[in-house]
Amino acid sequence: MPHLKKKASIPNWFWVFILSFAVIAIVYIIIPIKNTFSFCFIDQDRNQPITHIPIDVIVLNDSESPFYAKSDSTGCFFWTTKDNYIRFVVQSPYHKTDTIYRIAQSETQEHVQIKTDDYALMLHYYANGKVEDWKNRRKELSMMIADNATIFQVLPHGLGIEMYAKDTFINTLTTPTQRLKNIEIIESRRLNGLIVKLKFRVKS
């Protein structure tokens, strides 16, 4: 009788390897790896963390509606996603709006510099600072604000808004009585170097 060769048997460890690989692949597909992004916002002019006012963050997703958040008390923002990138808009009443795009990397935290909106800061200073030269203050404010600017104050306790013409706003802001003392800018927009929209409230 002819001699029959015995078939080589596949070792058990090979089947264990195949099974383990299949389980890992299935888990990876069903439960994708998540990335955590961490950003801390720095005032570009002062090189200091922005902690005195929250930075508005709008996370832009390709397949979902934008997500709105704010930086925390330390001036930082955290975001966890299954995507390997993040794209978001940063804005505040005293800083310029900017769009940030980052790809996931090994760094756990990144410092992002935000440009200051000099006009908004100057307006805040004029309203709350102790400036004795009222005439020059009015002149500078007039040069900052467009003649047809939309200016309105958000009244407390849900009472609505109060509209201001440019001249009325400047006169009210620069009189010694300072009826608009301690204003807080909510939103400001500029066009061709002039403020065309200003929204504010008076802090109690």
Side-chain angles (χ1 to χ4, degrees):
M1 294 180 63
H3 180 71
L4 296 176
K5 292 184 179 180
K6 186 178 179 180
K7 293 183 179 180
S9 61
I10 300 175
N12 292 334
W13 63 264
F14 179 80
W15 294 112
V16 172
F17 174 79
I18 294 297
L19 181 61
S20 300
F21 180 82
V23 170
I24 293 173
I26 293 173
V27 170
Y28 181 82
I29 294 173
I30 297 177
I31 308 175
I33 296 175
K34 290 187 177 182
N35 295 300
T36 298
F37 295 87
S38 175
F39 302 95
C40 290
F41 302 114
I42 306 296
D43 188 294
Q44 188 179 59
D45 291 343
R46 296 164 181 78
N47 197 30
Q48 295 291 329
I50 303 173
T51 57
H52 62 284
I53 180 172
I55 297 294
D56 292 320
V57 179
I58 307 173
V59 180
L60 305 174
N61 301 294
D62 293 334
S63 58
E64 301 177 10
S65 300
F67 181 85
Y68 296 85
K70 290 181 180 292
S71 59
D72 60 20
S73 59
T74 64
C76 299
F77 163 71
F78 305 90
W79 181 255
T80 301
T81 176
K82 66 182 187 315
D83 298 325
N84 63 351
Y85 70 93
I86 183 174
R87 184 163 59 97
F88 61 96
V89 176
V90 290
Q91 58 187 22
S92 90
Y94 303 105
H95 298 87
K96 294 182 179 179
T97 300
D98 196 6
T99 301
I100 310 296
Y101 178 84
R102 293 291 186 272
I103 298 175
Q105 52 187 355
S106 58
E107 293 184 13
T108 57
Q109 191 175 80
E110 179 184 351
H111 289 172
V112 177
Q113 290 192 337
I114 306 297
K115 295 181 180 179
T116 303
D117 187 334
D118 295 327
Y119 274 31
L121 278 181
M122 287 173 63
L123 194 60
H124 177 80
Y125 172 72
Y126 286 150
N128 302 302
K130 294 181 180 180
V131 181
E132 303 299 332
D133 194 341
W134 302 99
K135 184 176 180 179
N136 281 339
R137 180 190 284 196
R138 287 190 177 97
K139 182 179 179 181
E140 290 171 350
L141 282 171
S142 182
M143 294 173 61
M144 290 169 52
I145 304 173
D147 291 338
N148 60 344
T150 302
I151 305 172
F152 58 96
Q153 174 188 353
V154 178
L155 301 175
H157 312 299
L159 296 178
I161 61 173
E162 181 175 354
M163 301 294 296
Y164 288 86
K166 172 183 173 178
D167 291 340
T168 304
F169 174 72
I170 292 176
N171 289 335
T172 307
L173 194 66
T174 56
T175 53
T177 56
Q178 281 194 305
R179 185 169 73 87
L180 294 183
K181 188 177 181 180
N182 294 326
I183 75 168
E184 179 182 16
I185 297 174
I186 300 173
E187 180 185 1
S188 66
R189 294 183 186 176
R190 281 191 291 167
L191 180 64
N192 299 325
L194 295 175
I195 295 175
V196 295
K197 180 180 179 181
L198 182 65
K199 181 180 179 182
F200 69 94
R201 59 173 165 255
V202 176
K203 296 187 293 184
S204 56

